[in-house]
Amino acid sequence: MSRDKASTMDGDLQKVFGKPVPELYEAAAGHDASPALVRALELRSFLALTEEQVARVRDRVHADMDPDRNMSELSADRLRFDAQWLDAALEARDGYRAALGELLRTVPPPAQQARPVRTAPLRTTATLHPSAAPAPPRAGAARARRP
């Protein structure tokens, strides 16, 4: 996804998980990666991509509004479209920032983050006492009365 693009929350990720973002991506590729780390990096990638969209629209509007640009090239329709595009990109960015922020608030500090431990499946070896055995299917069933 957007591993190589910076995001505005990279510092928060590093603070919570205790490593720079590139190292976090490496750790997330491992089979024992925490689900919180994987989800956080997924949200971070979406955020970085959305922030790039915001920057592109901003730069396009700035270029269109350059004081040295010929005024006959201005288009209200084009600016309206860019405003709608910018609004959608900012809304998406805000949503990803909120989701990632909430996730990061719930993750324990790096010192308290435990690695998942693999255990063998539990096996039951106990046997039931005969009185605890299930009753036959018709036991205790009421008999229908005949008139």
Side-chain angles (χ1 to χ4, degrees):
M1 288 206 138
S2 300
R3 306 176 109 171
D4 301 327
K5 298 177 188 340
S7 89
T8 56
M9 294 192 70
D10 287 354
D12 297 326
L13 279 160
Q14 183 171 343
K15 189 183 309 178
V16 169
F17 290 103
K19 295 180 182 176
V21 171
E23 289 180 32
L24 294 176
Y25 274 104
E26 288 177 24
H31 66 282
D32 63 341
S34 80
L37 175 61
V38 172
R39 179 64 53 92
L41 291 177
E42 183 177 84
L43 286 168
R44 184 227 167 260
S45 292
F46 292 146
L47 175 62
L49 182 63
T50 303
E51 288 177 343
E52 181 183 8
Q53 289 175 325
V54 169
R56 283 184 181 186
V57 175
R58 178 203 60 206
D59 294 347
R60 185 169 52 239
V61 169
H62 284 171
D64 287 346
M65 301 305 291
D66 187 328
D68 294 333
R69 189 157 185 173
N70 185 341
M71 287 187 132
S72 64
E73 294 176 2
L74 282 176
S75 165
D77 287 337
R78 186 171 162 178
L79 288 172
R80 262 191 297 281
F81 180 75
D82 281 338
Q84 290 171 343
W85 190 271
L86 183 61
D87 189 42
L90 287 170
E91 188 175 326
R93 183 204 60 184
D94 292 345
Y96 289 130
R97 283 183 56 84
L100 183 54
E102 183 63 29
L103 178 74
L104 294 178
R105 278 188 287 284
T106 63
V107 174
Q112 294 178 0
Q113 292 176 15
R115 290 276 182 213
V117 177
R118 291 186 183 215
T119 60
L122 298 176
R123 294 180 188 213
T124 305
T125 57
T127 57
L128 292 175
H129 189 276
S131 65
R138 295 196 41 94
R143 293 186 184 200
R145 288 188 163 171
R146 292 188 185 185

